[in-house]
Amino acid sequence: MPAPHNPFKAALKAGKKQLGCWSSFAHPYPVEMVATAGFDWIVIDGEHAPNDLQTITAQLQVLDGKHSHAVVRIPTGNDWLVKQVLDAGAQTVLVPMVDTAEQAAQLVRAMRYPPHGIRGAGAAGARASHFGSITDYVQTANDQVCLLVQVETRLGMENLDAILQVEGVDGVFIGPADLAADMGYPGNSAADEVKSAIKDMLTRIGASDKAAGILGVSEAATQDYADWGAQFLAVGVDVGVFTKAIRDLEGQWRSRI
């Protein structure tokens, strides 16, 4: 019995567009609500949201069997973090602040079992193998894991072509906010220089065998990213959607009572 099929990885490889959303509530109940919208992928954010291994695991559990594929963003590219979320059942991992091809290659190794990597082979007690009931998990899991690396600094931008040559990286995700800050435009990813850099990177990624991804938090930016060739495109953050709606509701009625 092999490892479960990764539909998100297969869709990226086939060149299909994948529509996504960020989830930052760090709780299974709201991520289950987000999943009812039918997004192709949902990021469980372990970098900026207050998630830990247990909250991530709980969210992976409620997304089982849903159309929305779980993408787990870990806080940093440490081998042990990659191994933990994979054993918890994640198939697709998003890693922030990847600046070099060497970093990307090490992450590829962390995602895979030997002889192609360094992932620990004690899968029998892990949720990923259904606690040992997937008998061929270790032998087949390498083909179903999906690695997305975030390029979001000037150094990463300089090394993008080398990162794109790393076998085992499935997609490259651009982080507009961090890139803007590193380029000298903190809080302004709409600056012309930043937009030009993002467009150039999306074009270069799209011309490679990797998938290009990005998050848009305004309608104008998101449309630009779609027009510039983003293949896996996140169109919002659940916390932002909620806070805007609840504040608008309060403002609407504050002026009427």
Side-chain angles (χ1 to χ4, degrees):
M1 184 177 179
H5 173 68
N6 185 333
F8 179 76
K9 180 175 182 173
L12 294 188
K13 189 173 183 179
K16 296 179 181 178
K17 300 279 189 179
Q18 295 291 283
L19 187 68
C21 184
W22 234 251
S23 185
S24 295
F25 279 107
H27 194 278
Y29 203 72
V31 81
E32 189 174 22
M33 286 190 281
V34 174
T36 66
F39 289 104
D40 298 310
W41 56 290
I42 296 174
V43 169
I44 301 171
D45 190 4
E47 183 184 16
H48 296 302
N51 272 303
D52 58 23
L53 186 60
Q54 291 192 2
T55 61
I56 288 170
T57 301
Q59 290 167 85
L60 289 169
Q61 288 171 321
V62 299
L63 289 178
D64 270 357
K66 304 293 195 301
H67 173 75
S68 300
H69 179 77
V71 175
V72 175
R73 179 162 75 168
I74 57 178
T76 187
N78 287 344
D79 296 346
W80 65 271
L81 283 170
V82 174
K83 295 177 185 183
Q84 281 196 327
V85 296
L86 289 176
D87 278 355
Q91 289 184 297
T92 302
V93 180
L94 175 63
V95 184
M97 295 293 179
V98 177
D99 290 328
T100 68
E102 292 74 19
Q103 282 179 282
Q106 181 61 22
L107 290 165
V108 171
R109 287 178 54 76
M111 294 279 291
R112 284 163 171 75
Y113 288 117
H116 304 294
I118 59 171
R119 183 179 176 188
R127 183 174 176 272
S129 71
H130 295 185
F131 309 102
S133 66
I134 301 177
T135 53
D136 295 329
Y137 180 82
V138 172
Q139 296 91 328
T140 57
N142 286 0
D143 291 335
Q144 300 303 328
V145 294
C146 179
L147 173 62
L148 311 174
V149 298
Q150 288 190 231
V151 173
E152 46 193 343
T153 65
R154 287 172 295 171
L155 180 58
M157 190 163 48
E158 292 168 7
N159 290 318
L160 177 60
D161 290 337
I163 292 169
L164 291 172
Q165 295 300 314
V166 177
E167 186 177 353
V169 171
D170 298 287
V172 177
F173 185 92
I174 299 168
D178 283 296
L179 180 63
D182 196 53
M183 292 178 68
Y185 300 95
N188 185 17
S189 57
D192 288 341
E193 185 180 357
V194 179
K195 289 174 66 177
S196 294
I198 291 172
K199 183 177 182 181
D200 174 67
M201 285 195 289
L202 286 173
T203 301
R204 289 156 64 191
I205 300 164
S208 75
D209 63 349
K210 317 299 186 193
I214 198 165
L215 165 65
V217 292
S218 72
E219 185 174 352
T222 304
Q223 186 61 61
D224 281 341
Y225 303 154
D227 294 341
W228 296 341
Q231 184 183 347
F232 61 107
L233 176 63
V235 296
V237 180
D238 58 2
V239 169
V241 172
F242 175 80
T243 53
K244 182 182 186 306
I246 207 69
R247 290 165 185 167
D248 286 350
L249 180 64
E250 192 277 342
Q252 171 190 346
W253 286 100
R254 178 67 63 185
S255 61
R256 294 167 62 177
I257 60 173

